Amino acid sequence: MKNIYLMCCLLLMSAESALAQTTAVAAATSTATSAPAPRMRRNMDQVDPNAPATKYDYHDAFAPFFYTKNGNEYRAATGEPGPKYWQNRADYQLDVKLNEATNEIAGTEILSYTNNSPLKLNFIWMQLDQNLFKKDSRGSAIVPLNGSRNGGGGQEFDAGYKIKSVKILSAAKNEKATPVDYLIEDTRMQIFLPKELAANGGNIKIQIEYAFISPDYGSDRMGIYKAKNGKIFTVAQWFPRVAVFDDIVGWNTIPYTGPGEFYLEYGDLDFSITTPNNMIVVGSGELLNPSEVYTAEQVKRWAAAATSDKTVIIRSAQEVNDPNSRPKNKTELKWHFKIKNARDAAWAASSSFIIDAAKINLPSGKKGLSICAYPLESNGDSAWGRSTEYVKSTIEYYSNKWYEFPYPSATAVAGTPGGMEYPGIVFCGARARQAGLWGVNDHEFGHTWFPMIVGSNERLYGWMDEGFNTFINSLSSSNFNNGEYKSKYPQDKNRIGAMYTAPGLEPILSYVDNYKERNNGTLSYSKPAEGLTLLREVILGQDRFDRAFKTYINRWAYKHPTPDDFFHTIENVAGESLQWFWRGWFVNNWRLDVAVRTVKYNDSTNFAKGAVITLDNLEKMAMPVILEVKTVSGKTDRVRLPVEIWERNTSWSFRYACSEEIESVTYDPDKVLPDFNPANNTWKRK
């Protein structure tokens, strides 16, 4: 073996010496002869002296290394959860009482928290969202002089949580309660554990006694609506909720200041609401004791609604002020609800509710209930009288299109919030009518899929729920009742592009608290929705996009995806590198401006020999090209060029086979691209 090794070394040295000599000779020969490169190769990358000035940099647009993190055992580079993906679990048992006179909600929470992470935990962070409405909260401090939709609307009252006790419950049968230390900082509470919570499945039960006063206007997410026949309480963020501990940042403890929404763990929520006898309560999930809180006749009506595709009245307008519409011989009622595998729960209560319902048909064959609760002044076929019909259609459409609705009921409540979503229940403006009511119902229940099923971090990435939801809304509106509320006018994406890429707008990929409030509608809702529409209609096509988007939903149902998980999934399933698109539309606020510069004929005396069409990319964004070529006889032709023409060019010329003189060449003839400057989109024959 030793001799063979020495022989190999000698042969390798000899070969290297011979190679060095050959290289030296070749270099000398090359220097001596200086043979010119072929003309074609020399001219391939010549600078176009007629090209206009441009902001486009193809290396910026198509730069490598878009992704800064490689796949790992928790999150794969394919965009799916890795083999060791984990997330913690939070189950809640809640029992509270509503004081209608004082607007106080008080009671007890038992949190059963399971640590599935690979790390032991010494403390647990809770979210105290009601503390936003304290006078000295961070959220109150950043309300501008001209007001805001965030915060308590200027209401002067004793706001925020009053934490009466925090205790650890023992594993023993009688669950002995032991007080523990805790620290409250703004909208967060840190609970210090007496001993480490074990990794990989350790469980602890924490009991919290608390109370708070409901604001009249709670950051457009909850509040009290003063209806003619009694207050409507729309109640949310109504109990301390555990913060998410994840593999991205650990504890997610960004304070709640109003603009950003929520990031929550999944689990089962079992909750009871005690109210005066005259009130009706609707809530997330399934009502477990209908016979105790409704009359015998109303229970029969519920049974009829469960089998009816038409709306069934449970409590009519005529019954609102009728004492016989409520159970007799009781001063208080306890309403008991349960929702499984959910990230949150909400409820509403009022003496003024009209209640109606209808069956929901799900693709698996399961049935659900569409329920609406609204006051007398919101009744009528032009208003909330059709709300159950709207909700039923929305739930059935999204269930068939993307992922089946997971809850036993879908309840819409008319109240103070203009529109706010929770698992199985939404709050919408009591004054909404017709197309506006359809739109807010459709949008808020669209949130069932983002973020109730796909549990993205709304506090950081509002666009991953609001934008994705706005996108699916655009499809459902075309579907409802043969297009009753479908827009009758095609959208001018040139005009939209000008608005969505206006200088001064922050990038979409900023967290919501980092936007100017006036920009939130564009950056959280409209622009990301338009980005998905571009992918679906122009870049990938409907089939490829729908398959990739549905895969994303299925992969991340009841899990916590990041933007990279979404980007990776779309690319891997669709089989397309889209880093140029993510970079231009989401990461940066780049603009699109493509101009048709010239049309030159190969032979000006014989148009049949074809022409050369030249385009210029004048701004920083790249997009595929769609052209309409019109000849002098009126014939039209479409030319499509891939985005790759901009990979190493700021201008692009290509041969076009024509048989006659060209009258005009128009870029983006259907206005489906966000080109903000259509003035240079058309070349015309002189």
Side-chain angles (χ1 to χ4, degrees):
M1 289 292 291
K2 187 175 181 180
N3 290 335
I4 294 173
Y5 175 77
L6 288 172
M7 187 179 296
C8 290
C9 289
L10 289 169
L11 288 169
L12 181 61
M13 291 170 63
S14 177
E16 288 176 344
S17 176
L19 179 62
Q21 292 176 18
T22 303
T23 304
V25 171
T29 304
S30 175
T31 303
T33 57
S34 301
R39 179 179 294 275
M40 183 176 73
R41 179 168 293 180
R42 188 180 67 225
N43 293 337
M44 282 177 71
D45 296 319
Q46 279 190 334
V47 175
D48 183 352
N50 299 313
T54 179
K55 297 178 183 177
Y56 184 66
D57 185 324
Y58 51 80
H59 189 74
D60 282 352
F62 289 90
F65 314 122
F66 172 78
Y67 294 105
T68 57
K69 300 180 184 67
N70 297 318
N72 55 43
E73 58 188 358
Y74 303 128
R75 296 170 190 268
T78 57
E80 60 196 306
K84 293 187 178 180
Y85 175 84
W86 59 267
Q87 67 188 50
N88 291 351
R89 179 180 176 90
D91 299 293
Y92 297 90
Q93 186 177 337
L94 302 150
D95 192 348
V96 300
K97 184 175 182 177
L98 169 65
N99 187 320
E100 186 181 15
T102 64
N103 303 335
E104 184 184 62
I105 295 155
T108 302
E109 164 188 335
I110 297 176
L111 163 67
S112 178
Y113 184 69
T114 304
N115 177 26
N116 293 318
S117 83
L119 301 173
K120 298 176 181 179
L121 300 178
N122 295 306
F123 53 81
I124 291 173
W125 279 102
M126 306 291 293
Q127 302 179 58
L128 302 183
D129 301 301
Q130 289 297 324
N131 285 3
L132 168 67
F133 308 114
K134 286 179 172 287
K135 292 179 182 178
D136 61 351
S137 73
R138 297 190 191 191
S140 295
I142 63 175
V143 172
L145 293 175
N146 58 351
S148 170
R149 71 185 291 267
N150 301 302
Q155 182 182 1
E156 298 286 336
F157 73 122
D158 187 15
Y161 280 113
K162 291 180 172 60
I163 303 297
K164 299 177 181 179
S165 69
V166 180
K167 299 175 182 178
I168 302 296
L169 299 182
S170 69
K173 223 174 189 181
N174 59 359
E175 292 190 328
K176 181 183 176 183
T178 304
V180 292
D181 293 334
Y182 60 91
L183 177 150
I184 294 176
E185 167 40 46
D186 196 52
T187 58
R188 300 151 300 177
M189 177 169 66
Q190 189 176 23
I191 300 173
F192 301 98
L193 305 180
K195 65 177 182 179
E196 289 182 326
L197 180 60
N200 303 313
N203 179 266
I204 193 169
K205 286 188 176 181
I206 300 174
Q207 177 183 285
I208 304 172
E209 293 181 281
Y210 68 97
F212 69 93
I213 304 289
S214 172
D216 291 341
Y217 175 86
S219 210
D220 207 23
R221 307 195 192 284
M222 61 175 297
I224 303 170
Y225 184 81
K226 295 176 176 59
K228 292 178 181 178
N229 297 300
K231 300 176 187 174
I232 298 176
F233 292 84
T234 46
V235 186
Q237 291 82 253
W238 57 285
F239 59 97
R241 301 178 296 178
V242 69
V244 172
F245 184 72
D246 64 21
D247 63 295
I248 306 300
V249 300
W251 286 107
N252 287 260
T253 57
I254 297 174
Y256 177 48
T257 60
E261 294 186 88
F262 310 107
Y263 186 33
L264 302 164
E265 300 286 16
Y266 289 91
D268 298 341
L269 297 96
D270 187 312
F271 59 103
S272 296
I273 315 294
T274 299
T275 67
N277 176 63
N278 67 329
M279 302 186 89
I280 289 178
V281 179
V282 291
S284 296
E286 180 183 5
L287 176 65
L288 299 180
N289 61 335
S291 62
E292 298 176 14
V293 293
Y294 283 105
T295 67
E297 177 59 30
Q298 289 166 347
V299 171
K300 289 180 183 177
R301 295 172 186 174
W302 278 115
T307 61
S308 174
D309 287 311
K310 300 292 185 182
T311 300
V312 175
I313 304 297
I314 310 299
R315 191 200 198 201
S316 69
Q318 293 74 27
E319 294 175 300
V320 167
N321 291 313
D322 184 355
N324 292 322
S325 71
R326 306 302 308 118
K328 296 179 179 179
N329 304 319
K330 294 181 180 180
T331 58
E332 292 184 336
L333 296 173
K334 176 174 281 194
W335 300 74
H336 188 188
F337 297 86
K338 187 170 186 177
I339 187 167
K340 296 180 179 180
N341 199 23
R343 43 174 260 159
D344 200 4
W347 53 277
S350 180
S351 59
S352 68
F353 278 154
I354 297 169
I355 305 289
D356 62 38
K359 176 182 63 172
I360 297 171
N361 302 295
L362 299 172
S364 68
K366 293 180 179 178
K367 309 299 178 185
L369 272 177
S370 169
I371 304 168
C372 285
Y374 50 94
L376 187 64
E377 56 266 40
S378 298
N379 195 18
D381 287 342
S382 64
W384 278 79
R386 289 189 69 189
S387 183
T388 286
E389 175 193 356
Y390 297 159
V391 174
K392 171 182 167 66
S393 175
T394 285
I395 299 298
E396 291 177 350
Y397 176 78
Y398 293 136
S399 294
N400 281 285
K401 180 70 175 174
W402 304 116
Y403 191 98
E404 186 164 291
F405 183 75
Y407 313 122
S409 60
T411 302
V413 182
T416 291
M420 188 59 202
E421 72 282 356
Y422 302 95
I425 190 170
V426 304
F427 306 150
C428 304
R431 296 183 177 89
R433 298 289 188 272
Q434 296 178 318
L437 181 58
W438 155 259
V440 70
N441 268 316
D442 184 47
H443 179 81
E444 302 311 332
F445 272 115
H447 278 301
T448 300
W449 286 263
F450 309 99
M452 306 309 164
I453 294 174
V454 181
S456 55
N457 187 343
E458 297 179 279
R459 190 65 55 84
L460 285 177
Y461 309 116
W463 60 272
M464 292 183 74
D465 79 287
E466 296 293 359
F468 291 11
N469 183 30
T470 301
F471 163 71
I472 64 174
N473 298 157
S474 68
L475 303 178
S476 64
S477 289
S478 300
N479 174 76
F480 174 70
N481 197 25
N482 298 314
E484 179 179 354
Y485 296 126
K486 181 182 179 181
S487 175
K488 295 177 173 57
Y489 306 99
Q491 284 191 320
D492 182 343
K493 301 299 176 68
N494 295 169
R495 183 180 61 82
I496 290 172
M499 293 189 298
Y500 292 171
T501 62
L505 279 177
E506 302 90 344
I508 292 174
L509 209 62
S510 311
Y511 69 91
V512 183
D513 290 359
N514 210 202
Y515 298 153
K516 290 286 188 185
E517 189 170 337
R518 65 177 178 270
N519 295 338
N520 185 45
T522 296
L523 298 173
S524 290
Y525 295 73
S526 308
K527 186 172 179 179
E530 188 59 40
L532 299 193
T533 300
L534 278 167
L535 282 174
R536 186 175 193 260
E537 304 299 334
V538 179
I539 299 169
L540 295 177
Q542 294 184 7
D543 289 346
R544 278 207 295 166
F545 176 85
D546 287 0
R547 186 177 297 108
F549 196 62
K550 191 171 183 176
T551 300
Y552 169 71
I553 296 171
N554 278 269
R555 282 178 173 179
W556 291 98
Y558 311 107
K559 296 180 177 69
H560 298 315
T562 67
D564 274 7
D565 297 319
F566 172 70
F567 297 151
H568 275 306
T569 294
I570 300 299
E571 289 190 7
N572 276 264
V573 179
E576 196 78 34
S577 176
L578 297 165
Q579 297 172 36
W580 57 271
F581 180 69
W582 311 133
R583 186 178 285 113
W585 196 255
F586 288 90
V587 178
N588 297 289
N589 183 41
W590 287 352
R591 312 199 87 178
L592 177 68
D593 184 17
V594 173
V596 184
R597 191 200 316 173
T598 60
V599 174
K600 294 184 178 180
Y601 298 99
N602 295 317
D603 186 342
S604 59
T605 63
N606 186 355
F607 300 123
K609 290 187 177 181
V612 173
I613 300 172
T614 298
L615 311 173
D616 297 307
N617 195 343
L618 303 176
E619 279 283 347
K620 295 189 71 69
M621 187 183 293
M623 279 284 170
V625 168
I626 306 170
L627 296 172
E628 182 178 85
V629 181
K630 184 178 181 180
T631 62
V632 290
S633 67
K635 295 178 181 178
T636 60
D637 182 31
R638 289 294 175 97
V639 177
R640 295 178 181 269
L641 302 172
V643 72
E644 283 82 1
I645 66 170
W646 305 121
E647 274 189 315
R648 52 176 175 262
N649 305 287
T650 59
S651 301
W652 184 250
S653 300
F654 67 97
R655 291 183 176 86
Y656 179 75
C658 54
S659 58
E660 57 181 334
E661 191 174 9
I662 295 171
E663 178 67 29
S664 63
V665 178
T666 301
Y667 170 76
D668 188 23
D670 302 318
K671 298 183 181 262
V672 297
L673 294 168
D675 186 295
F676 85 99
N677 180 27
N680 57 17
N681 284 11
T682 300
W683 173 93
K684 290 186 178 181
R685 179 177 67 97
K686 294 180 180 178

